[in-house]
Amino acid sequence: MKQVPQKDAPLKLNESGTWIREDVSYEVNEPDAYALEEALRQREKHKGEVVVITSGPARAQQVLREALAKGADRAIHLEDDKFVGLDAFNTAKAIAAAIKDEQFDLIFTGLQSDDYGYAQTGVILAELLGWPHATIIMQIEKNETGIRVKRELEAGFFQFVDMPTPAVLTIQSGINKLRYATLIGIKQAKNKPLRKVSLAEVQSALGENLQKIEKLYIPQKTKKTEHIEGAPAEIAKKLVDKLRNELRVL
Amino acid sequence: MADTILVVVEQREGKLNRVSWETITAGQAIAAATGWTLEAAVVGSGAASIAAEVAGKKVAKVYAIESAKLEPYTPDAFAAALKQFLTSKQPKLVLMPHTYQVRDFVPKLATAMGRTVISDCIGFKHEGGKLVFTRQMFQGKLAADVSFTSGAPWFVTFQNGSFRGDKAEAGASTAPVETVSVDIADGVIRNKPQEVFKEAKQAVDLTQAEVIVAVGRGIKEQKNIEIAKQLADALGGDLAASRPICDSGWLPMDRQIGSSGQTVAPKLYLALGISGAIQHIVGMKGSRAIIAVNKDSEAPIFEIADYAIVGNLFDIVPPLIEEVKKAKG
């Protein structure tokens, strides 16, 4: 799971223009919330254990606390400010190193993050682990040989895929209905195990980033936008004038 | 020897995915800027007929990469086939459209080669001999120019609609097509895909709608959808939504606009409380006119809007319904 800036948080560029300033509000990456929910539902059906992992500064622990409150059994936090600057390849390497002694059957990620939006970390992790993967998943059923998953394709098409476990699945938003943490859950979360992994512990698994953000900036507008201002009634009148005389839809 | 750009076009069930022409246009533009050679490749069983179609465009050569094991599509087979091919050809730059299929295999392919993908790009810049790729960040609120710091091949995927497919230049003569057979060992393919299917027929076809009123998170509650419905009715249009609204079950999935829903191009697209995430925008940016109402003046939807109204939709929409009704008499 990943912590990302809140959806409507105003973003400011840092001085070097390569990343945003840290002083914004954060929230859990929405697709990852669906991935967690699916893991909890699978555990409710098949028993077992749900472990949540994130990489990021101390603030990212909030994501793990919320996940534990919703019902995850334990958490792993790759904690260092520097994890924010890793590319997807290095992030996946860090995660792979942090879980090398674990025995997971399934790893879920959200299908992409709301900040970078690369849609790659889960698939890279699968390749590093040597596991099969499937992306943009809308349903997961256990079968005799492993699992049957429903992949979302484009333009309203779907496909079932049978695959062995262990496997990595990237989860589509909307696969399930998210639960809220209960008061009891929040209380219990305080006593659940949270393992911290430092950058030093995984450093030997990492390499140089393979890609670099040269410049981050506010996108140039390509379209001329006309702002319509005034009191609501005034705006309504102006808009209807546009609809009739410029757009000719009335 | 000049460096080579390779465009991997996408085929599904023996047909070229039209978005591939956009990637060819992108490849031609980068070739013109850098002086590099442009080639193309098709992967899959029966790739030859698609390769012939691509060979009509201005490209130096087209490869048809074939193996019976490439049908049906699996990420294992596609990554194995392309790794073999790319390792022998050593192109500098590999371009693909950012489709769901490419997203499924290209991070695996790049990782298997110790390389990286700059994904979902919307353009490129070639300045002072340096090639950078532009992509949206933070759901389109910011943009980034990203460069490769690793060796070739460099993998880049382009977002749907970033280049004009109909601008792909035809070649002076047909490019040569070379069929390449790849060897995919037994046991490489672990996934067993079943038939592709469409969920219960879509009841609503929004692709033909002339006016669409679409709602996003800003609508706040399911019961508020009623005012958007009233506006759509007054305008004689259809009601649509961004993904979160359909995920919440407030409107059925067949009213969803965007990469996982329908792609529309009405005369008027009226976006109410839609922030404009990339996944939504790709489904509606072809609209003739876009009016956006959002309380966040920095919402990315305003980047593509013709008319912007920064304000609370619950203040704006009721008088608008009245004015539209009046105008219609």
Side-chain angles (χ1 to χ4, degrees):
Chain A
M1 300 183 75
K2 185 178 194 180
Q3 196 184 40
V4 297
Q6 264 177 8
K7 280 206 175 56
D8 46 9
L11 303 176
K12 293 192 199 85
L13 296 170
N14 66 8
E15 274 178 23
S16 56
T18 51
W19 195 242
I20 57 162
R21 279 173 44 176
E22 275 278 315
D23 53 344
V24 295
S25 315
Y26 289 88
E27 65 185 0
V28 62
N29 181 47
E30 190 176 39
D32 297 346
Y34 286 97
L36 168 68
E37 178 64 38
E38 193 54 31
L40 295 172
R41 286 175 187 228
Q42 293 295 329
R43 184 193 61 190
E44 281 154 14
K45 264 194 249 174
H46 306 293
K47 303 277 191 301
E49 185 192 32
V50 172
V51 183
V52 284
I53 182 164
T54 195
S55 81
R59 59 169 163 78
Q61 198 191 104
Q62 182 58 25
V63 167
L64 301 177
R65 288 289 165 208
E66 283 171 27
L68 292 171
K70 284 184 172 188
D73 299 286
R74 58 187 171 93
I76 303 169
H77 187 179
L78 282 151
E79 188 186 324
D80 198 292
D81 292 352
K82 292 204 176 69
F83 283 119
V84 174
L86 296 189
D87 63 12
F89 196 14
N90 263 329
T91 300
K93 282 178 172 173
I95 294 172
I99 64 170
K100 65 179 190 320
D101 297 325
E102 301 276 359
Q103 299 282 325
F104 298 130
D105 298 295
L106 290 171
I107 295 177
F108 295 169
T109 69
L111 82 163
Q112 62 192 42
S113 62
D114 288 341
D115 53 0
Y116 279 79
Y118 273 116
Q120 295 191 38
T121 308
V123 177
I124 294 171
L125 180 61
E127 178 66 15
L128 292 175
L129 296 170
W131 294 7
H133 75 269
T135 52
I136 318 187
I137 297 306
M138 285 299 282
Q139 190 183 310
I140 302 156
E141 300 290 340
K142 194 169 178 290
N143 63 16
E144 312 80 57
T145 51
I147 50 173
R148 167 168 282 205
V149 298
K150 184 179 169 189
R151 279 185 70 209
E152 184 180 301
L153 309 178
E154 280 147 337
F157 285 93
F158 295 89
Q159 182 179 42
F160 284 103
V161 176
D162 292 331
M163 57 198 299
T165 56
V168 177
L169 304 176
T170 78
I171 306 295
Q172 171 66 294
S173 296
I175 182 176
N176 47 41
K177 293 265 172 289
L178 301 178
R179 72 189 63 192
Y180 293 99
T182 60
L183 273 175
I184 286 191
I186 294 167
K187 233 179 195 171
Q188 287 171 341
K190 295 197 175 95
N191 298 318
K192 288 180 176 172
L194 191 155
R195 174 163 71 93
K196 288 192 182 183
V197 180
S198 68
L199 181 61
E201 284 172 74
V202 295
Q203 188 82 60
S204 64
L206 306 182
E208 293 293 316
N209 277 348
L210 301 181
Q211 52 178 276
K212 180 181 168 208
I213 296 175
E214 300 277 348
K215 195 173 100 177
L216 190 69
Y217 52 97
I218 296 162
Q220 272 193 336
K221 285 185 68 98
T222 47
K223 209 162 179 176
K224 230 181 88 200
T225 304
E226 185 178 338
H227 278 262
I228 299 178
E229 291 161 347
E234 222 175 308
I235 290 174
K237 280 208 171 65
K238 287 181 190 168
L239 262 184
V240 166
D241 179 60
K242 307 275 180 207
L243 294 175
R244 180 185 274 163
N245 299 316
E246 289 178 27
L247 308 179
R248 299 180 191 284
V249 292
L250 280 182
Chain B
M1 205 182 84
D3 285 316
T4 303
I5 304 165
L6 181 80
V7 172
V8 181
V9 302
E10 178 163 309
Q11 59 100 10
R12 290 175 193 170
E13 281 123 38
K15 275 203 191 124
L16 182 79
N17 182 349
R18 315 301 299 173
V19 73
S20 302
W21 294 130
E22 297 179 9
T23 322
I24 294 280
T25 304
Q28 289 176 341
I30 297 171
T34 57
W36 297 350
T37 306
L38 179 64
E39 298 182 339
V42 196
V43 186
S45 78
S49 66
I50 291 166
E53 198 180 343
V54 176
K57 298 296 176 192
K58 194 177 158 196
V59 293
K61 193 168 187 178
V62 185
Y63 298 94
I65 302 171
E66 297 202 336
S67 158
K69 291 204 169 108
L70 291 166
E71 200 63 40
Y73 163 81
T74 57
D76 287 335
F78 265 56
L82 275 165
K83 185 183 169 189
Q84 251 177 64
F85 177 76
L86 296 174
T87 304
S88 77
K89 293 291 174 206
Q90 293 292 331
K92 177 81 171 173
L93 181 63
V94 180
L95 307 177
M96 302 186 203
H98 192 68
T99 62
Y100 279 20
Q101 180 165 301
V102 166
R103 287 169 57 149
D104 193 55
F105 75 81
V106 80
K108 174 183 169 72
L109 167 64
T111 302
M113 298 182 76
R115 295 293 183 258
T116 190
V117 190
I118 302 181
S119 52
D120 207 14
C121 296
I122 55 170
F124 75 94
K125 291 173 193 155
H126 185 250
E127 293 163 344
K130 186 166 183 154
L131 198 53
V132 298
F133 295 89
T134 304
R135 61 188 309 281
Q136 293 168 307
M137 303 277 287
F138 300 98
Q139 303 273 309
K141 283 184 183 173
L142 297 174
D145 291 342
V146 187
S147 66
F148 287 95
T149 52
S150 53
W154 294 345
F155 292 90
V156 172
T157 67
F158 282 111
Q159 188 177 108
N160 199 339
S162 302
F163 291 85
R164 290 277 301 271
D166 56 358
K167 299 276 188 205
E169 273 182 73
S173 60
T174 306
V177 174
E178 182 184 329
T179 300
V180 180
S181 295
V182 287
D183 207 16
I184 297 169
D186 289 335
V188 165
I189 302 172
R190 295 163 292 185
N191 293 3
K192 286 195 190 68
Q194 313 295 312
E195 288 295 308
V196 169
F197 66 94
K198 204 156 195 169
E199 208 116 274
K201 272 205 192 70
Q202 293 210 329
V204 189
D205 179 11
L206 296 171
T207 61
Q208 303 303 315
E210 295 224 319
V211 174
I212 290 177
V213 175
V215 295
R217 283 178 206 273
I219 201 78
K220 297 269 196 279
E221 285 182 68
Q222 183 166 19
K223 65 175 169 57
N224 296 336
I225 286 180
E226 183 55 29
I227 65 160
K229 171 88 170 57
Q230 285 171 11
L231 180 58
D233 288 346
L235 288 164
D238 284 295
L239 190 59
S242 63
R243 176 143 196 144
I245 300 301
C246 301
D247 281 348
S248 308
W250 295 357
L251 278 174
M253 280 291 178
D254 60 7
R255 298 218 172 240
Q256 186 201 325
I257 306 295
S259 54
S260 52
Q262 301 193 47
T263 300
V264 297
K267 270 188 176 168
L268 170 64
Y269 193 91
L270 213 163
L272 301 175
I274 290 177
S275 65
I278 300 156
Q279 300 90 311
H280 183 73
I281 286 184
V282 296
M284 47 65 79
K285 65 182 171 189
S287 304
R288 193 126 23 112
I290 297 166
I291 300 177
V293 183
N294 202 298
K295 64 175 172 32
D296 176 9
S297 64
E298 289 180 39
I301 189 81
F302 289 133
E303 298 298 318
I304 59 155
D306 298 280
Y307 301 101
I309 297 136
V310 179
N312 185 338
L313 74 95
F314 300 108
D315 295 335
I316 314 281
V317 175
L320 184 57
I321 295 170
E322 290 316 307
E323 286 297 325
V324 170
K325 281 184 181 163
K326 246 194 269 173
K328 284 207 160 178

